[in-house]
Amino acid sequence: MAETIEQASETVEAWLKQEDAIDPKKAPRLQELLARVPRQELIAIVERQNALRAALALRLLPREKSIAVFDALDAKHQADIIDELGNADVYEFFDELDPEDRVALLDELPAEIADRLLRSLTQTQRDVTGVILGYTKGSVGRRMSPEVPDIHPGMSMEDALYTLRDTADELETIYTVPVTRKDRRLVGVVSLRELFTAERGILIADIMKEPVYAYATADAEETVRWFLPLDMLALPIVDDSHRLVGLLTWDDATDIMEEADSEDSARSGGTEALQQPYLSTPLLKLVRSRILWLLVLAVSALLTVQVLDSFEDTLAKAVVLSLFIPLLTGTGGNTGNQAATTVTRALALGDVRTRDLLSVMWRELRVGMLLGAVLGMAGFVLATAIYGLDIGIVIGSTLFLICSMSATVGGLMPIVAKTVGADPAVFSNPFISTFCDATGLIIYFFIAKSVLGI
């Protein structure tokens, strides 16, 4: 059976990639194949299709399975598919999404389409979705589920279980139960396990625990980084008056973490995060995600050209110096980026704070000096063996100083970026590439002129 499923998956994907995949005559056969593919495979298949072919697959799936697959897609991919689906399909998919997922999709849609979709909701759904829309992008409130049970300290265990059973279909999670007073102020939390194992007649006030919570206006990424290690299934979210406004579930928190890590990884590599699977991303989006950084780095390279132009006479007198330029600039950039990546990650995890700037600077300076000593010695031996003692001294000394400088600058840049409110991953690498290349060449040529007497 496993082989049949695999064959069906491969056949479905092959059919969807054909030019005439939209041919109505092929629809029954494609629908038959889709019905034999497990849900997790369907999600993987649809993720790899462009918007038109993904929409085709969703239309041919049974209603329940189609909605489940659509719900599992990234918001940007959902937004692309919306344009290809008929109005009735769009409203049905949108209606079935959880409130926080609706908001994520609305953020990716043009205003007029978003407004039309909002109007298609019932008043209750619109009110619940509006609660999330009221918070700024990037905040916990924007990613929480506003549908929470109404459990109070004076309730008995039986009353609480009855309330949960009666409202379970409307809630995203019932495994972590926040406890509130009548004015919705959060006073405790109890797990479903504790409710099931509690003695009959016992009050919620007797078994609830002190709650761990976050404010709705707090930064989502910072919140999930301390929430996930706690191994909790959900985190109560409160407003400034300590009133319960929602729950951040564990799965939503992991989505936030994955998005943040993907963004940092992409930006450290000189591009923007795609926010949807690679194969389903339109070509123009791929170009836009990369072109800005290429332009920034190309402009910054002009500074390196200016440095080379300033030392043109030095190069003319010792042409051999030009052979080592790629080695030195590459070493400086790599050393700086290694330090920046390490410190950026430490900042994200909370291991390093902005007040640790001097500690980080001193630590990276020593790391850079040790790296420079090792690389400098290797460079000295090889350059001396091939080009003579003078060139060996120039290369060895330059590698030592470049590594020391690059590691220090690379370690400082993420903290400086964090201090001024910029994204460390965005700010660090372009600056390091520009600064280390230009400064490294200046160090190189000054050492060369001193040692070689030119």
Side-chain angles (χ1 to χ4, degrees):
M1 184 66 181
E3 185 179 358
T4 304
I5 290 173
E6 184 178 348
Q7 290 175 342
S9 300
E10 292 176 355
T11 304
V12 166
E13 193 154 13
W15 275 37
L16 287 170
K17 291 179 179 178
Q18 294 175 6
E19 292 297 326
D20 58 347
I22 308 172
D23 186 350
K25 295 179 181 178
K26 289 193 172 185
R29 174 59 177 157
L30 187 56
Q31 192 169 28
E32 178 187 339
L33 289 168
L34 284 166
R36 293 163 58 186
V37 179
R39 183 176 298 180
Q40 66 271 21
E41 286 294 321
L42 283 172
I43 294 170
I45 289 171
V46 173
E47 281 182 333
R48 291 194 289 267
Q49 308 305 315
N50 62 29
L52 178 60
R53 300 180 194 284
L56 170 65
L58 290 173
R59 283 202 186 99
L60 294 176
L61 287 170
R63 176 183 178 276
E64 182 181 349
K65 189 177 284 187
S66 179
I67 289 172
V69 171
F70 182 83
D71 188 25
L73 302 176
D74 296 303
K76 278 193 175 294
H77 199 189
Q78 289 177 337
D80 291 339
I81 292 172
I82 287 289
D83 292 335
E84 305 296 341
L85 289 168
N87 281 346
D89 295 321
V90 169
Y91 295 148
E92 186 173 28
F93 285 130
F94 190 67
D95 184 65
E96 293 294 332
L97 292 174
D98 290 326
E100 67 274 21
D101 293 329
R102 281 194 212 119
V103 170
L105 175 55
L106 291 172
D107 286 339
E108 304 298 337
L109 291 171
E112 63 274 12
I113 297 178
D115 186 57
R116 190 167 73 240
L117 288 176
L118 273 175
R119 289 200 301 270
S120 72
L121 298 173
T122 64
Q123 186 60 49
T124 301
Q125 290 175 321
R126 199 179 305 143
D127 290 343
V128 171
T129 305
V131 170
I132 301 177
L133 284 170
Y135 294 101
T136 58
K137 291 183 181 181
S139 66
V140 175
R142 197 76 168 197
R143 305 299 294 268
M144 69 181 182
S145 173
E147 296 164 322
V148 293
D150 192 20
I151 305 297
H152 306 299
M155 279 184 170
S156 66
M157 175 269 288
E158 291 86 354
D159 289 339
L161 286 174
Y162 177 80
T163 299
L164 291 175
R165 188 180 302 113
D166 193 46
T167 59
D169 290 341
E170 303 170 8
L171 305 174
E172 185 167 348
T173 181
I174 59 172
Y175 302 108
T176 297
V177 183
V179 183
T180 61
R181 298 195 313 220
K182 294 295 184 182
D183 60 359
R184 294 188 63 80
R185 290 182 183 272
L186 181 69
V187 293
V189 67
V190 63
S191 70
L192 188 61
R193 175 190 290 272
E194 290 166 333
L195 285 175
F196 271 122
T197 57
E199 296 179 5
R200 290 182 176 275
I202 196 168
L203 297 179
I204 297 298
D206 296 328
I207 59 174
M208 70 182 188
K209 298 177 181 177
E210 185 176 349
V212 176
Y213 59 89
Y215 288 100
T217 53
D219 181 80
E221 181 182 346
E222 292 180 2
T223 299
V224 301
R225 289 197 183 278
W226 62 256
F227 163 59
L228 288 176
L230 299 180
D231 292 329
M232 296 167 54
L233 295 177
L235 178 70
I237 307 300
V238 300
D239 62 15
D240 292 338
S241 299
H242 210 73
R243 289 190 295 265
L244 182 70
V245 292
L247 283 170
L248 179 68
T249 59
W250 187 88
D251 58 320
D252 285 334
T254 56
D255 286 343
I256 295 170
M257 180 68 76
E258 181 182 349
E259 291 167 11
D261 288 345
S262 296
E263 185 178 82
D264 289 345
S265 176
R267 287 177 170 176
S268 65
T271 184
E272 286 295 319
L274 297 179
Q275 298 180 329
Q276 70 184 86
Y278 171 79
L279 290 177
S280 67
T281 304
L283 288 179
L284 287 179
K285 282 190 177 181
L286 285 172
V287 173
R288 285 198 298 269
S289 71
R290 303 178 187 180
I291 189 63
L292 176 62
W293 293 108
L294 289 176
L295 290 172
V296 169
L297 293 172
V299 171
S300 67
L302 293 176
L303 181 58
T304 303
V305 174
Q306 287 295 110
V307 173
L308 289 172
D309 183 60
S310 300
F311 289 95
E312 185 178 2
D313 292 340
T314 304
L315 280 173
K317 294 175 182 177
V319 178
V320 68
L321 295 176
S322 62
L323 300 177
F324 294 95
I325 289 176
L327 166 68
L328 299 174
T329 56
T331 300
N334 290 337
T335 304
N337 285 329
Q338 285 179 337
T341 300
T342 302
V343 175
T344 297
R345 184 64 176 165
L347 279 170
L349 295 175
D351 296 339
V352 169
R353 294 177 173 81
T354 53
R355 64 172 178 265
D356 297 321
L357 185 143
L358 291 178
S359 297
V360 170
M361 182 178 71
W362 174 232
R363 191 177 187 82
E364 286 300 329
L365 174 61
R366 288 179 292 164
V367 170
M369 291 172 69
L370 289 172
L371 291 172
V374 174
L375 293 175
M377 183 58 66
F380 169 76
V381 171
L382 292 174
T384 299
I386 300 173
Y387 297 103
L389 180 61
D390 288 347
I391 296 297
I393 293 173
V394 171
I395 300 305
S397 303
T398 303
L399 282 170
F400 174 77
L401 291 176
I402 282 180
C403 286
S404 302
M405 178 269 298
S406 298
T408 305
V409 172
L412 288 179
M413 281 307 100
I415 300 179
V416 172
K418 187 82 170 178
T419 302
V420 300
D423 187 332
V426 176
F427 188 81
S428 302
N429 287 353
F431 183 89
I432 290 167
S433 297
T434 303
F435 182 85
C436 292
D437 285 357
T439 308
L441 287 176
I442 292 172
I443 292 172
Y444 178 42
F445 288 122
F446 272 115
I447 291 177
K449 290 177 73 173
S450 299
V451 174
L452 301 178
I454 55 177

